[in-house]
Every structure is written in C-alpha cells, then in structure tokens.
Amino acid sequence: MKEVTVIGAGVVGLCVARQLVDRGATVRVIDSGGEAGEQSCSWWAGGMLAPFCEGESAEEPVVRHGEEALGWWQEKTNAVETGGSLVVSAQRDRADLKQFARRTKNHRSLSRAEIEALEPELPDGIQQALYFETEANLAPREALSALKTGLERDGVSFETGWADPDVLASDGMTIDCRGLAAADAFPDLRGVKGEMLIVHAPDVTFKRTIRLLHPRIPIYVVPREDGEYMIGATMIESKDSNRASVRSVLELLSAAYALNPAFGEAEIVEIGVASRPAFPDNLPRITRNGNLIRVNGLYRHGFLLSPALGGMVADLVFNKNTRPEFLYDYSD
Amino acid sequence: MLSVYGTELSSRLMLGTAQYPSPAILADAFAKSNAGIATVSLRRESGQDRAGQDFWSLIQSLGVQILPNTAGCHTVKEAVTTAHMAREVFGTKWIKLEVIGEEDTLQPDVFGLVEAARILSEDGFQVFPYTTEDLVVADRLLNAGCEVLMPWGAPIGSGLGLNNTFGLRAMRAHFPDVPLVIDAGLGLPSQAAQAMEMGFDAVLLNTAVAKAGSPADMAHAFALALEAGRAAYLADPMEPRDMAAPSSPVIGKAFLS
C-alpha cells in the first residue's frame, strides 16, 4: 500500500489526493488552515471551466486539459453549472471581439436579438457577442468542499499545520502543492495578484458567465447561488495578497455596472485578494526529487488543470519511469 | 549611433513589456526584436515592499536598458511619486513620463506633462516625455530640461499608425537635432518603416507586438521594418513628383516620333 502525504488543501492538493486515492493510495492532507480557505488561491477563483475562452491567450495544453476538466468536475461534484459563456464588448471595442473570435474556437456569433434571448439585461450598447455554448462554471468553494468530503469518506485525514516538505519526504512520498508558499523551492515562480468581489445582486438575472472585453478593464461576471455574483479579476504582477486597492475595486465595479445597472443596488459580500503562482510560460510544472514531488504554477487555471495534473502526479507516484507532460528538471 | 542623454543606444527600437500572454513569450519577442530598451510600467502598489520584484527581475534578465514609465498616472503628483519609486527600484535616472489627460484617447495632459517634466528634470531625472506633435508643447518640454521627445503616432494601443503625418513632419523639421521617438499608436511594421523614412530616430511599441497572435514573429517583422526605414532615410529618398519620369535613357531617341 502506498502512503502519501499531500501538503496543501487547495484545488491542486485535493485533486492530487483524489487521483491518488482512486488508485489505491493511503493519503493524508496537511494544510496551514486544515482545509481550503482564505489562504488558498482557489478559494477566490472564478471557477470558470472555459478552456476555449482561455485559449485566446493561454497555451495549447490549457485548452486540451481544460476540455477534459468539465466532465471530471461533473463526476466528482454537484458544483458545475452548464450554460456556456458569453463574450461581449462595447461597440467601440468591437475590434477586440473580432480578434477574440479569430483566436478562439467552439463559439458562434450572436446577433442582438439572440443576445436578448439569452441575457435580456445586457445593455443596448452590446450589439454582438460570442457564445461558447459548451463552457461551464463551478462554485469553487462547493467544489473544494465536495472533494474534501469525498476524500474523508474514503479515509483521507486532514491535518492542520505546517510541515517542511523535505523533512516529510525523508519519511515517505510527499507531494508539495502549496502554490506561492513554495516559492523558495523554485527560482522562477512569481505571483500574479488578482482581486475579485462577491456581490449579492438579486435584481440581476444573468444566467451564465459573461466576459466583457475592454482595453483597460476586462472583467467577467459569474453567477453563483442565491443571487450572488462573482466579479473578477485583476491581473497585476505582484506577489502581494494582503489587500485589494481602491482603484481595482472601482474598476471592477464600474465595469460590472456598465454590464448591468442593477449591480448598482447590489450589496458587497466579499472583496477577495490572492496571488496566483505562475512560471514564466504561465504553464504548470511538476518536479521530482526522490520522494518529494512538487506541483505548482497553475496560474489562473487551477480548476481547469488540476484534474489532469493530479493524474500525472499519480502516474509518477505509482510508476517512477513515467514522464508526464509537465515534468520539469531544473538541472536540464 | 543614436545618443540620448549621453547614452548611446544600440538599437532604434524600444519595446514595452505589458500585455504579453506570458513572460516567456515576452522574452522571445525581445530576442527577435533586437530592441535595446525595455519600457516597464510601475504600479504603485507593486512598488510597496517590492511585491512586483519577480516580474522586474525577469525584465532585468533580458539584458537591455530599462526605461521605467509612469503609465496610468493622471496627475503631476502621481507621476512624480511613481518616477521616484522607479528610480529606486530600477536604479536609473531615466523616466518615460506619461501624464494622461483623457481616458478614452489616453492623450497626454500636456500642461501636467510640462510641469512634471520640470520638477523631475530639476530633481536629476532624465525625462522621456510622451507628448503630442504640438510644436509649442515640444518647445516647453525642451525648456523644462528634456533632451528627447516622444510624440504619439496615434492613441495608445489603437494600431492606427501615423495619424498626423503633416504635424510629425513639421516637428521633425522644427527640431532637427532633438532625438524624436514615435511613441504609441503603431500597429504594423509598415507604419514603423514610415516613421523611420521620415527621419524619426526611433520608435516605441508595445501593443502591436504583445497583442499579435505571434508576438515573437511580429517583433521580428518590426525589426526588419525599422532597418529598412532607417536605411531608406539615410539613402536620401527621391522627391515625389506629379508627372512620370522615364526610368530608361531617352537621349538618342527621336522623342517627337
């Protein structure tokens, strides 16, 4: 029986644990907070399962593995909402929409009448949209909680605390999934700060993820349960995750208000900040040194890529000779 | 070789570092562009506790000169504060000064620009002002201590090219000895070539490269265009004329036949 310790109970750690348990390993998970929470990047995620939209700026593997992620999350949780995503721009930024269409696939262009049929509250200024019908979104905290519950049912223990990965690895197989907290183990891991809001807006009736293309303030609005919406997210080269700036919050809210003036009546439930761990190519890496495997750099694609990366780590644990796609050797 | 504030520049291309899909693609684009200067925008919040240091280290590892800018600043005070932070972070007296006056066109607030340029110059900065083609403003900037001017081609990020070629030609003619850098608005290599053919000393790009489908290939295309445009300028182009001028010899032909 393989015994494995996973450090980090964010989306990466939980997916790694899930894949290991599914292959028969005995797993314990250690996290500074005991479970996913404010200390985890994924707690603050948008939860968009939108591989084709991401393909506009992300590398090909993100699209490929992201496509598989939808089914995985549907199988493991009840947190997935299908309904597609809608990409829109103001008329004066229609060049951005045209370019977005050219650089992505699996979408169709909607006329104003078709937009109104899907999302009647979008303002008149939005005359064109791209509809990515097969995309979905999930509620990140529900998904994380569902994974944890399932793991506990399968005998996984969750411990609160901090542990040195090198010390743990001297005792047995250890998977370091700490995100930016593991920066000292990677010479080129950086943080990309993201700020987001959750608002309670019962007057808004958006049914699906809406992405607004804008030269300065691109945002997305994701519907959550009970009249709540997630509005995100900034992208700032900074490892800071202490506080959101007034400017960022103003910009996010102004853009949301432009999408639907009913956001003006909303209540602010939360203002969230996290810094996403990223490598220079914005793709994840797996490293291996004896009993210590590290997974990191999922950037803004935690929920899209973690199921696939969990599988790759499980491959490595059970078969030393395998060479998964994102395995990276710093001595190369 | 182009010299600005006593520093000789190895390249006539300055390249911005914002908006690339990833730092790795940014590095590829720089390698293909032969750019000699990288502009970096500094958000105030990233400067606190050097939270943005990891990204700046990536820029510094490109091995080019760093020209920090005050992008996104709307007031003199903001721009001056950002410039001071940039000097501390990057250890350079250079500052590309932007004071934005209008949100939709991102055109410079030339009044604030002149004021900030004077304050910074007196404080020992070497200021690269982002300005319009206005000759009077240009003159005021030179009086304020600037030794280089960066007129816009078109609004930032618009990709429209040289919007006012008359104004830009006048600027070039009016300030024959001041280094002039076309900053902002270029979308295509042909537009950069045109700027160089008109005798501008350098161009600064960002969006045209960063937002291309393949930034590295577009950077390479711009490098070729700059080379072609500069060579054409040095070759002293012919003057356009209204009537055809035969390119084969006519002497000896019975031209009345």
Side-chain angles (χ1 to χ4, degrees):
Chain A
M1 182 73 93
K2 285 266 182 206
E3 291 187 11
V4 185
T5 302
V6 174
I7 317 174
V11 66
V12 183
L14 292 174
C15 287
V16 165
R18 185 68 258 171
Q19 298 274 19
L20 286 168
V21 170
D22 286 349
R23 298 191 200 185
T26 300
V27 176
R28 67 169 176 148
V29 178
I30 298 176
D31 188 278
S32 60
E35 59 183 348
E38 292 188 7
Q39 77 284 4
S40 321
C41 225
S42 35
W43 188 254
W44 304 106
M48 288 177 293
L49 300 174
F52 306 111
C53 282
E54 289 301 314
E56 193 254 345
S57 58
E59 304 276 347
E60 178 274 334
V62 174
V63 182
R64 177 160 38 91
H65 295 297
E67 279 187 80
E68 300 158 13
L70 176 60
W72 196 87
W73 287 108
Q74 279 175 319
E75 186 192 317
K76 305 289 180 195
T77 74
N78 292 318
V80 177
E81 290 288 334
T82 55
S85 33
L86 210 52
V87 179
V88 303
S89 76
Q91 273 302 89
R92 64 179 197 176
D93 299 325
R94 57 189 181 274
D96 291 341
L97 196 66
K98 203 170 153 188
Q99 186 169 296
F100 198 96
R102 210 167 64 223
R103 292 179 184 171
T104 54
K105 54 181 187 175
N106 284 20
H107 56 72
R108 62 188 172 91
S109 291
L110 300 187
S111 66
R112 175 67 201 173
E114 291 170 308
I115 295 170
E116 277 176 26
L118 284 178
E119 298 291 356
E121 289 175 359
L122 281 172
D124 289 345
I126 289 174
Q127 292 287 326
Q128 293 157 324
L130 298 174
Y131 185 31
F132 293 76
E133 202 166 351
T134 57
E135 293 188 339
N137 58 279
L138 56 69
R141 296 173 194 180
E142 284 173 35
L144 295 167
S145 166
L147 277 187
K148 177 173 182 254
T149 306
L151 286 167
E152 283 175 325
R153 199 172 46 229
D154 291 335
V156 173
S157 64
F158 282 78
E159 295 167 27
T160 305
W162 184 91
D164 186 332
D166 291 305
V167 173
L168 285 175
S170 64
D171 269 351
M173 185 61 79
T174 302
I175 323 289
D176 178 359
C177 309
R178 291 176 298 153
L180 214 47
D184 56 345
F186 297 95
D188 50 0
L189 191 72
R190 74 190 201 286
V192 182
K193 182 180 181 181
E195 294 143 297
M196 56 80 89
L197 294 115
I198 296 175
V199 298
H200 181 238
D203 295 344
V204 175
T205 61
F206 287 155
K207 295 177 204 68
R208 52 184 57 72
T209 301
I210 297 176
R211 288 186 188 230
L212 173 67
L213 305 182
H214 187 279
R216 279 175 293 119
I217 321 167
I219 64 153
Y220 51 80
V221 173
V222 190
R224 296 273 169 84
E225 294 282 280
D226 304 322
E228 290 191 347
Y229 291 86
M230 185 270 189
I231 301 167
T234 53
M235 301 268 284
I236 299 166
E237 291 286 345
S238 170
K239 64 186 173 200
D240 168 65
S241 57
N242 293 325
R243 293 198 187 107
S245 74
V246 169
R247 180 203 300 207
S248 294
V249 173
L250 272 176
E251 288 179 346
L252 290 170
L253 288 177
S254 311
Y257 182 72
L259 270 184
N260 192 336
F263 276 118
E265 300 303 319
E267 296 166 329
I268 296 174
V269 179
E270 280 181 72
I271 297 176
V273 192
S275 191
R276 314 163 179 96
F279 290 108
D281 56 3
N282 291 345
L283 285 172
R285 285 181 191 167
I286 302 170
T287 63
R288 182 187 178 122
N289 182 7
N291 273 339
L292 181 56
I293 295 172
R294 298 185 200 264
V295 195
N296 217 318
L298 275 77
Y299 185 46
R300 49 186 274 171
H301 303 125
F303 283 88
L304 275 182
L305 295 180
S306 286
L309 279 157
M312 292 173 201
V313 170
D315 287 346
L316 262 183
V317 168
F318 283 92
N319 177 6
K320 287 188 167 56
N321 298 322
T322 184
R323 184 150 186 102
E325 184 177 356
F326 297 111
L327 190 68
Y328 191 91
D329 189 346
Y330 276 93
S331 62
D332 280 351
Chain B
M1 197 175 272
L2 176 59
S3 172
V4 182
Y5 289 111
T7 301
E8 297 210 325
L9 306 184
S10 58
S11 159
R12 292 177 183 270
L13 179 58
M14 307 180 181
L15 196 53
T17 55
Q19 295 186 307
Y20 291 80
S22 71
I25 290 173
L26 183 159
D28 282 350
F30 267 82
K32 290 277 188 66
S33 72
N34 295 321
I37 290 180
T39 60
V40 190
S41 76
L42 202 65
R43 281 186 73 131
R44 297 264 298 280
E45 58 187 286
S46 306
Q48 276 147 17
D49 306 326
R50 297 192 162 231
Q53 185 60 51
D54 292 336
F55 182 69
W56 302 329
S57 299
L58 285 164
I59 306 294
Q60 280 162 327
S61 72
L62 296 171
V64 297
Q65 281 169 296
I66 308 273
L67 174 58
N69 70 31
T70 63
C73 292
H74 287 72
T75 64
V76 172
K77 189 180 172 201
E78 268 184 292
V80 169
T81 309
T82 304
H84 278 271
M85 202 159 82
R87 179 161 69 179
E88 196 181 310
V89 167
F90 294 108
T92 173
K93 289 188 278 188
W94 284 6
I95 188 74
K96 194 193 137 199
L97 182 61
E98 288 182 29
V99 183
I100 297 299
E102 211 281 321
E103 273 298 321
D104 286 328
T105 57
L106 297 178
Q107 72 187 82
D109 169 355
V110 293
F111 305 95
L113 182 69
V114 171
E115 189 185 337
R118 174 169 291 111
I119 293 170
L120 290 170
S121 297
E122 284 171 0
D123 205 4
F125 283 90
Q126 296 175 336
V127 178
F128 295 60
Y130 165 61
T131 183
T132 66
E133 65 277 42
D134 189 294
L135 297 181
V136 181
V137 173
D139 218 31
R140 296 283 168 95
L141 287 167
L142 296 175
N143 289 341
C146 299
E147 295 180 17
V148 54
L149 297 171
M150 302 185 78
W152 64 350
I156 294 172
S158 66
L160 292 172
L162 305 180
N163 248 357
N164 179 0
T165 47
F166 164 77
L168 289 169
R169 269 185 216 288
M171 193 177 194
R172 179 69 285 179
H174 200 76
F175 302 105
D177 302 322
V178 177
L180 297 181
V181 182
I182 295 290
D183 177 5
L186 301 187
L188 285 170
S190 54
Q191 297 159 350
Q194 185 192 7
M196 299 309 288
E197 288 161 7
M198 286 165 64
F200 283 92
D201 295 284
V203 302
L204 192 157
L205 304 167
N206 191 338
T207 313
V209 171
K211 288 291 192 183
S214 172
D217 291 328
M218 189 57 85
H220 180 57
F222 269 102
L224 297 173
L226 256 83
E227 200 182 326
R230 178 68 187 169
Y233 171 72
L234 293 176
D236 190 5
M238 62 167 280
E239 285 298 325
R241 48 188 294 151
D242 290 336
M243 292 297 158
S247 50
S248 16
V250 288
I251 293 171
K253 277 195 178 174
F255 64 89
L256 289 178
S257 64

